[in-house]
Each structure stands twice: as C-alpha cells, then as structure tokens.
Amino acid sequence: MAHEIWGSKFYSDRSKPAWHDIDLLRSLGIEHDETDRTATQILKLMGNPKVIEIPIQVPYGDGFLPTTHKALVREETKDTKAEQLGIVSMDWELVNPQSASALWDKQVGEIVETMAFIRSGRELFITGKLPSIKAGADDIDNYIVFFNPMDGGKTAQSYVTSTRVVCANTLRWSMETTRSSFKISHFKGAHIQLGKWMNRTYQNALATQELIQEASEWLQKSPASDDMVTTMAKKIYPVPNKPDWDKPRKSDIDQAQRWYQYSVDRAERFQREILDLFQ
C-alpha cells in the first residue's frame, strides 16, 4: 500500500490519527492513553525488532572463503519471518533500530510525535514537534525528522519540515520540500557523526523558532515593507562567511564544507520563512 507501514508498527500522538488508520497502541489494546513516550519505549512496544549484520562467505573447496561484503538481515519477529534487507561492504556501518532510538532520546530528547518502520522494516523514521510559531491568530507547526535506512540503499538524514510525517508518502514529500538537511553515509564513524548532527539540527531549530517568533511579534506590531522584512531577516539570520579551507586538516575539509553548505541553506530557508509570514 502507499503508506508502506510495516505491519502495525506506526506510533502517533493520540490526538492526531493518521490517514491510513494504523495505530500501534490500539493494536496492543491500549485505549485512551495520552502518555508521552521516548523512542526507546516505543521501540519496545513495537516488539523491539532487530537488524543484524552477517558476513558473506562463498564455497571454496571443502570450506568457505570470506568476502568483502556482509548481509543486512532483519531478524524474525512473532509475526514475520527473517528477511535479508540488503548487501553492503564490510566498512558500511549499521545504525540498528536500538541505536537509532537511543540517539534520538539522547541527542534530541523531544517527545516522539510519530515513529514507524516502513518498507518491511528497511527504514525507520522518528519525528518530534517543535514549539509552534504564533503568527497572529495562526499557529505554524514544524517538526524535526530523523530518517534511518538499514538496507544500504540510502543515507541517514535529519531535517526540519512543516510536514507531519506519518507514512512513506509524507516522508518523501518532507524530504523533497525541506529547504535544508544533513545526510550521513553509513561508513566508519557514522554513529558518532549522526549523534553530533542530530543535536546540532535540533538546537539550531529551537534557536531559529525563537528568532522567527520574535520577528513575527515585532512585525505584527509595526507595519513593514517587504524590503524592510528582508533586511531584518538577513540581520536576524545572516548567511555565514565561507570558512578558510586552509585551516582544517585535510581529513576535516569535507566535513567543514558540508557544515558550511548546511548552514547557508538553513540561513536562507529561515530568511524566506520570516518573509513568507508577512506576504
């Protein structure tokens, strides 16, 4: 189906049902429950599904020879058989569901808005709702999203979106419409880098929400032209200066370039958001 939810493994804030009507808590017989839960707690309610790595060997003579690849396998659950999710090189670093949930709880710490496995457990997303921005009588909602693929076919991502992610369709739409995101390839050190970038994304999102709220309140009290709003937006959230690439060690240049581009995209996005509030 279009939602691609794996079984009943979709958790949502109980006040906002999803269009596909899949409900983890209801499937467990839990009704009228408004408890806030961490990602780790939700994962356990989902049966704590596991994804493991199995080195690939090939027959040779009377025995087997190791190869340079390994299989990613989702282990058997009470209602599904084990399934191979993908084949990757030996240096590909798996971030399994347990690690992904722990990263969210430690580096973001936001109460989970939605969380689900899609594509037969190949992919996991976790989202949290950021503080609303009040623009007059309207509330503008944004969400932080963490996307973790476990089949070797995509990169992990974290980003801010105005789309409430509840299925594969809304996940794709949020990725296509977000104005900035970071992506981490699953190679050595991916787990550490994911934690750092998730925390940065979350802290920057909170700071930006506060700045946009202040700008919104000021502009509602003071008539302003588009030029005035644009100028103020650039002052509130300036595009950063390009760093001196000669200063970092060569091994750090790629990381510095990625962070610079992410920061530029983010600054330009929030400048546009401030302007959009008053058009």
Side-chain angles (χ1 to χ4, degrees), residues 193 245 247-258:
Q193 291 302 321
W245 302 125
K247 290 183 179 180
R249 296 174 301 170
K250 185 174 177 57
S251 61
D252 294 333
I253 290 179
D254 286 346
Q255 183 74 4
Q257 288 175 327
R258 291 168 67 191

Side-chain angles (χ1 to χ4, degrees), residues 25-276:
L25 297 183
R26 189 174 61 200
S27 72
L28 297 173
I30 302 174
E31 299 286 350
H32 310 296
D33 184 286
E34 300 295 335
T35 303
D36 292 330
R37 292 179 172 86
T38 66
T40 299
Q41 290 170 336
I42 296 167
L43 185 67
K44 291 178 179 178
L45 290 174
M46 291 179 172
N48 205 26
K50 296 179 174 60
V51 177
I52 61 172
E53 303 166 299
I54 301 178
I56 296 175
Q57 298 181 324
V58 296
Y60 182 78
D62 295 331
F64 292 87
L65 286 177
T67 70
T68 58
H69 287 72
K70 56 189 175 184
L72 302 171
V73 176
R74 175 178 50 71
E75 291 190 328
E76 181 178 1
T77 67
K78 67 177 184 178
D79 51 4
T80 56
K81 295 181 179 180
E83 182 177 348
Q84 177 183 300
L85 305 182
I87 295 176
V88 295
S89 62
M90 292 299 288
D91 59 352
W92 194 90
E93 185 173 301
L94 171 67
V95 179
N96 62 33
Q98 290 71 31
S99 295
S101 299
L103 277 174
W104 175 275
D105 292 339
K106 180 179 180 180
Q107 301 297 343
V108 177
E110 195 70 47
I111 296 301
V112 174
E113 175 79 7
T114 62
M115 176 172 169
F117 284 91
I118 57 176
R119 300 185 61 234
S120 298
R122 287 174 170 79
E123 299 170 1
L124 169 69
F125 67 77
I126 309 172
T127 78
K129 185 176 178 296
L130 296 169
S132 297
I133 298 172
K134 295 189 177 299
D138 299 320
D139 286 346
I140 299 174
D141 292 333
N142 284 303
Y143 306 87
I144 182 169
V145 180
F146 173 43
F147 169 68
N148 184 47
M150 296 171 286
D151 62 355
K154 299 177 183 178
T155 56
Q157 297 185 52
S158 186
Y159 54 94
V160 174
T161 177
S162 58
T163 301
R164 187 172 186 266
V165 177
V166 298
C167 61
N169 283 340
T170 49
L171 177 67
R172 283 190 288 268
W173 175 252
S174 70
M175 289 179 176
E176 291 172 1
T177 57
T178 186
R179 289 172 175 168
S180 65
S181 67
F182 81 79
K183 299 180 180 180
I184 295 290
S185 298
H186 283 248
F187 290 105
K188 187 175 181 180
H191 190 280
I192 295 174
Q193 291 302 321
L194 268 174
K196 290 180 179 179
W197 282 68
M198 285 174 69
N199 184 265
R200 284 181 178 181
T201 301
Y202 178 60
Q203 296 302 327
N204 287 332
L206 289 180
T208 300
Q209 296 283 102
E210 185 176 343
L211 286 171
I212 293 177
Q213 181 64 61
E214 291 177 3
S216 172
E217 293 172 358
W218 183 84
L219 287 169
Q220 288 173 52
K221 297 176 182 177
S222 307
S225 65
D226 285 356
D227 288 342
M228 291 174 62
V229 175
T230 300
T231 299
M232 188 188 71
K234 289 180 178 180
K235 288 182 178 180
I236 292 175
Y237 228 99
V239 173
N241 295 323
K242 191 171 184 178
D244 183 353
W245 302 125
D246 294 331
K247 290 183 179 180
R249 296 174 301 170
K250 185 174 177 57
S251 61
D252 294 333
I253 290 179
D254 286 346
Q255 183 74 4
Q257 288 175 327
R258 291 168 67 191
W259 178 247
Y260 167 69
Q261 189 58 52
Y262 169 73
S263 300
V264 169
D265 292 344
R266 182 167 50 85
E268 291 177 344
R269 173 167 69 92
F270 293 130
Q271 289 175 10
R272 289 192 293 270
E273 286 185 355
I274 291 174
L275 182 58
D276 289 347

